Amino acid sequence: MVGVVSVIGSGPSGISAALELAKDNSVLLIEQAGMLGGKLNELSCKGEIECLECGVCSGLKLIDRVKKEKKIEIMLESKIVGVSFLESKACLRIEQREQTVERLVDGIVLATGHDIYKSNEETDRVISGARFEREFRLGIAHDFEKGEKVAFVQCHGSRDRHFNYCSRVCCKHAARFAKRATEKGASVTVFYLDLRDKKMREIENVRYIRAKIGEFVLDNNQVVVRYTSENEEPCEDKYDRIILSTGLLPSSSNQALASMFRLELVDGFAERSYAPLPIVTAGTLRGPMDIIESINSGYQSAKELMSKMNAKRE
């Protein structure tokens, strides 16, 4: 056993990092919520006829492995409230259910995740992709229906007037639900500025419109989408349901995290730490990425941490 390490956050990157580190270390996995998984708990399988490779199932399987791994100690409902850097270790002050404990660790993986852009244009018929998936998983949002007119609006909250970077996951997310909608017999339109994922373009029976969205107007039981076409012409169409592909944002906790662990923030995301102890970041704390990319990021960050810990001992 090399040492004691802590992984803070138990989303896709946190659980994969914990499993990788547990091969040679004792791992303290700290999660602020009451269950493992982070935003995985808000996601659902999107395939019905075939697997659409969204990564949710892979993440859930990793959670089961973490729960069975004897070298991983899990602390739920726990929050880091302070850290002190000693000569060769860090002392984490952890608040858990109104009690504060201190734990010494040799290295840290920060995998605290991201936030989702919250649109002020949401209504009962205009909803974000994140909200739709959460409600779909819980059985609140009904599945797509034959003859239903559905529009997916891409880049809402990223690559537009709100944030100028690409969230990377939106095209894949919308593509999987658009495919499901067409399989159910719905009429699907995708409004986009730029499609980064080639799978989005490969879906059959989908109408693609490159346009700038103006506004959504409720008209009885439908929504009127007013937009400017690629030819700069004003247009409008009616739909039964609008799903907004909302962007990924840096977590609101990143500023406090940066101060505590001496992180360098770029556009609100953190790629590196300048603390005297080996500390690495993983997953969407580093920047937008999908579930599979986050899982792989966790594995790579764990290996990076081990390399830094070994170098420090030499």
Side-chain angles (χ1 to χ4, degrees):
M1 186 176 295
V2 175
V4 179
V5 295
S6 177
V7 176
I8 302 173
S10 71
S13 60
I15 53 180
S16 60
L19 286 168
E20 183 68 24
L21 289 166
K23 293 178 180 178
D24 296 301
N25 301 275
S26 174
V27 179
L28 178 64
L29 179 57
I30 301 170
E31 170 56 51
Q32 188 168 341
M35 64 177 70
L36 298 177
K39 287 185 172 57
L40 272 175
N41 295 306
E42 300 177 5
L43 305 178
S44 62
C45 176
K46 299 158 191 68
E48 185 171 42
I49 297 176
E50 61 179 313
C51 175
L52 298 182
E53 300 177 353
C54 66
V56 172
C57 296
S58 298
L60 296 178
K61 289 176 182 177
L62 290 180
I63 291 175
D64 289 337
R65 287 178 55 194
V66 165
K67 291 177 179 178
K68 296 174 183 176
E69 176 54 62
K70 294 181 180 179
K71 291 182 182 178
I72 299 177
E73 177 187 351
I74 300 170
M75 292 186 68
L76 299 177
E77 298 180 47
S78 301
K79 179 181 179 181
I80 304 296
V81 294
V83 58
S84 301
F85 295 106
L86 309 177
E87 184 175 347
S88 60
K89 295 180 182 291
C91 178
L92 297 177
R93 290 189 293 280
I94 308 165
E95 185 177 88
Q96 184 184 48
R97 303 184 185 96
E98 299 182 355
Q99 292 186 340
T100 301
V101 298
E102 294 186 347
R103 299 292 294 270
L104 292 175
V105 297
D106 300 295
I108 301 168
V109 173
L110 297 172
T112 48
H114 62 277
D115 290 340
I116 299 290
Y117 173 74
K118 295 181 180 179
S119 173
N120 59 8
E121 299 184 76
E122 287 195 55
T123 65
D124 289 341
R125 293 187 175 273
V126 180
I127 65 174
S128 70
R131 174 184 158 192
F132 172 75
E133 181 158 10
R134 183 171 60 251
E135 293 183 354
F136 179 77
R137 179 178 179 273
L138 296 173
I140 299 172
H142 65 80
D143 205 345
F144 302 104
E145 299 175 349
K146 185 175 182 179
E148 181 183 14
K149 292 187 66 177
V150 182
F152 291 86
V153 177
Q154 301 306 103
C155 302
H156 190 76
S158 63
R159 290 175 56 78
D160 65 4
R161 64 185 182 276
H162 302 291
F163 301 96
N164 61 12
Y165 58 81
C166 176
S167 285
R168 298 182 61 191
V169 303
C170 306
C171 286
K172 297 176 184 178
H173 185 271
R176 292 177 177 116
F177 273 119
K179 183 174 177 60
R180 183 183 182 94
T182 58
E183 290 172 349
K184 292 287 186 177
S187 172
V188 177
T189 299
V190 174
F191 290 96
Y192 71 98
L193 294 173
D194 181 23
L195 295 178
R196 295 294 185 92
D197 187 71
K198 66 178 183 179
K199 288 185 178 180
M200 175 62 95
R201 298 181 182 273
E202 295 172 354
I203 306 171
E204 296 180 356
N205 302 317
V206 172
R207 177 189 180 206
Y208 295 94
I209 300 177
R210 188 170 189 176
K212 295 179 181 178
I213 301 298
E215 61 179 343
F216 306 111
V217 180
L218 187 63
D219 182 11
N220 294 321
N221 291 323
Q222 289 189 306
V223 179
V224 177
V225 179
R226 292 176 178 158
Y227 60 94
T228 303
S229 72
E230 198 171 7
N231 297 324
E232 299 297 325
E233 296 178 355
C235 305
E236 64 177 49
D237 291 321
K238 287 185 179 181
Y239 297 92
D240 299 307
R241 184 160 32 168
I242 310 293
I243 298 177
L244 307 173
S245 289
T246 44
L248 271 59
L249 305 181
S251 171
S252 59
S253 66
N254 282 5
Q255 286 290 345
L257 204 68
S259 176
M260 196 179 300
F261 292 99
R262 305 182 191 180
L263 304 177
E264 178 187 14
L265 298 182
V266 178
D267 291 330
F269 297 102
E271 289 193 5
R272 61 179 62 87
S273 167
Y274 291 99
L277 187 83
I279 296 176
V280 298
T281 59
T284 53
L285 174 57
R286 298 176 69 97
M289 57 183 75
D290 64 23
I291 296 173
I292 298 300
E293 290 170 335
S294 293
I295 290 172
N296 291 334
S297 172
Y299 287 130
Q300 292 302 318
S301 293
K303 293 174 182 177
E304 181 184 349
L305 182 68
M306 288 298 300
S307 177
K308 289 186 175 184
M309 289 171 60
N310 290 333
K312 193 173 180 65
R313 289 190 175 95
E314 293 176 356

